Amino acid sequence: MTMLGSGNIIKMRSEFANPVQYFLPIGETELPMNNLIGKSISLKFTGQINCISCGKRTKTSFGQGFCYNCLQTAPEASETVMRPELSKAHLGIARDMDWAREHDLIDHFVYLAVSGELKVGVTRHHQVPTRWIDQGASEAIILARTPNRHISGVIEVYLKNFFSDKTNWRSMLQNKTVQEYNLPEEKEKAYQLLPAELQQYLHPDNHIWKMNYPCSEFPEKIASVSFDKDPEISGILNGIKGQYLIFSDGRVLNIRKHNGYFLEISAID
């Protein structure tokens, strides 16, 4: 076995390319993950978890990487991360207004993306196309551009009555799409559904972003694995999609779920 890296991990960084390029932050370095596709690898969890906000060691990880205290107090763990319509930063109310000025009081996009089926979502303007890659979307189009997180959340909540806001992760990992979608047409439908006061935020560009993921073969059957149940996960890496490692036997590992876990990663010779 050849040691490739050890340390606390956070979600994979991606670069938009054909195919998408993935890099796993581990300790003080980054591991180029595309280079490992087709190879046999071992990921061993040492039992140590550190909060991705304060760094404190914690027995249990909450909300994808936080200790309990930071889950309750850290701005990046606020409920507005998952529910942008609850953001009150535009009213001067937030867990941390300096953080909110950088993350909530900036331009946001409302988008339509295909990841198994058509869904509506929200992302900060500088997270394009990273947000879609993290979700494993095959294609996406920007619907609206808003000046803060709250308004984008209001648009999303309104459109949830007509579009899904969830990703079917199993369909996404099997690379199955419910149907073919014409995104400019779906965008026009969504626009027509919005009340006049929200239509003003329409984004005029109909550019369709298409994502191609590094995977030699997508699984027919999927088995989700976790370091909480199995401290050592090994096998041939077939590919990567979203934030998942896909192994040749159909096992899939959600890297983002294990933010803050201390791993030792090796290549099996």
Side-chain angles (χ1 to χ4, degrees):
M1 300 227 307
T2 303
M3 177 68 73
L4 300 175
S6 66
N8 296 98
I9 65 165
I10 56 174
K11 81 178 185 79
M12 289 180 283
R13 181 177 68 83
S14 62
E15 291 180 0
F16 182 66
N18 187 16
V20 171
Q21 298 293 305
Y22 282 98
F23 305 86
L24 177 64
I26 178 167
E28 300 299 316
T29 63
E30 278 192 338
L31 195 58
M33 295 301 293
N34 292 52
N35 296 346
L36 299 179
I37 293 173
K39 297 181 180 179
S40 186
I41 62 172
S42 167
L43 301 94
K44 184 178 180 180
F45 173 44
T46 65
Q48 178 178 331
I49 306 172
N50 294 87
C51 173
I52 61 172
S53 181
C54 71
K56 185 177 71 177
R57 188 161 179 168
T58 177
K59 288 184 177 180
T60 304
S61 178
F62 299 91
Q64 296 182 334
F66 300 98
C67 66
Y68 185 75
N69 182 63
C70 286
L71 179 73
Q72 300 297 316
T73 60
E76 61 269 34
S78 167
E79 61 183 350
T80 63
V81 172
M82 297 299 294
R83 298 183 61 190
E85 74 277 9
L86 297 181
S87 173
K88 296 180 180 178
H90 58 294
L91 302 175
I93 302 170
R95 285 187 177 183
D96 183 321
M97 276 307 300
D98 287 338
W99 190 92
R101 274 186 281 272
E102 290 187 18
H103 296 85
D104 282 22
L105 300 180
I106 60 173
D107 284 3
H108 279 65
F109 289 132
V110 183
Y111 62 84
L112 297 175
V114 180
S115 49
E117 60 183 323
L118 190 66
K119 71 178 292 287
V120 61
V122 165
T123 190
R124 300 176 181 96
H125 70 91
H126 56 76
Q127 283 294 98
V128 168
T130 300
R131 175 63 173 159
W132 305 324
I133 292 172
D134 284 351
Q135 292 178 336
S138 56
E139 54 182 353
I141 192 171
I142 297 171
L143 168 63
R145 184 170 190 145
T146 69
N148 61 52
R149 189 164 184 81
H150 172 74
I151 297 174
S152 65
V154 170
I155 293 175
E156 180 189 37
V157 167
Y158 192 88
L159 291 176
K160 280 181 188 179
N161 295 310
F162 311 98
F163 299 92
S164 172
D165 68 321
K166 300 288 190 296
T167 296
N168 184 323
W169 64 274
R170 288 185 177 274
S171 295
M172 180 272 288
L173 289 172
Q174 292 173 321
N175 209 36
K176 292 181 178 178
T177 303
V178 174
Q179 65 182 75
E180 293 296 318
Y181 296 97
N182 183 314
L183 289 185
E185 288 184 3
E186 296 293 343
K187 175 178 175 176
E188 178 62 23
K189 289 179 189 175
Y191 170 73
Q192 295 296 338
L193 290 167
L194 291 173
E197 62 267 28
L198 296 178
Q199 287 183 336
Q200 64 178 301
Y201 299 106
L202 177 73
H203 188 66
D205 187 353
N206 274 353
H207 175 71
I208 298 173
W209 293 76
K210 292 183 179 289
M211 278 62 69
N212 179 32
Y213 296 91
C215 191
S216 58
E217 184 179 1
F218 292 98
E220 283 296 318
K221 294 184 178 180
I222 288 174
S224 179
V225 292
S226 166
F227 291 117
D228 297 324
K229 294 182 178 180
D230 188 353
E232 186 167 3
I233 296 168
S234 60
I236 297 172
L237 184 64
N238 253 17
I240 310 171
K241 191 176 185 187
Q243 281 289 324
Y244 285 86
L245 302 185
I246 303 172
F247 291 92
S248 59
D249 58 0
R251 287 175 303 145
V252 297
L253 174 66
N254 184 345
I255 290 294
R256 190 169 196 168
K257 178 183 175 183
H258 298 92
N259 277 341
Y261 281 54
F262 195 108
L263 303 185
E264 295 174 350
I265 302 180
S266 304
I268 302 174
D269 303 323

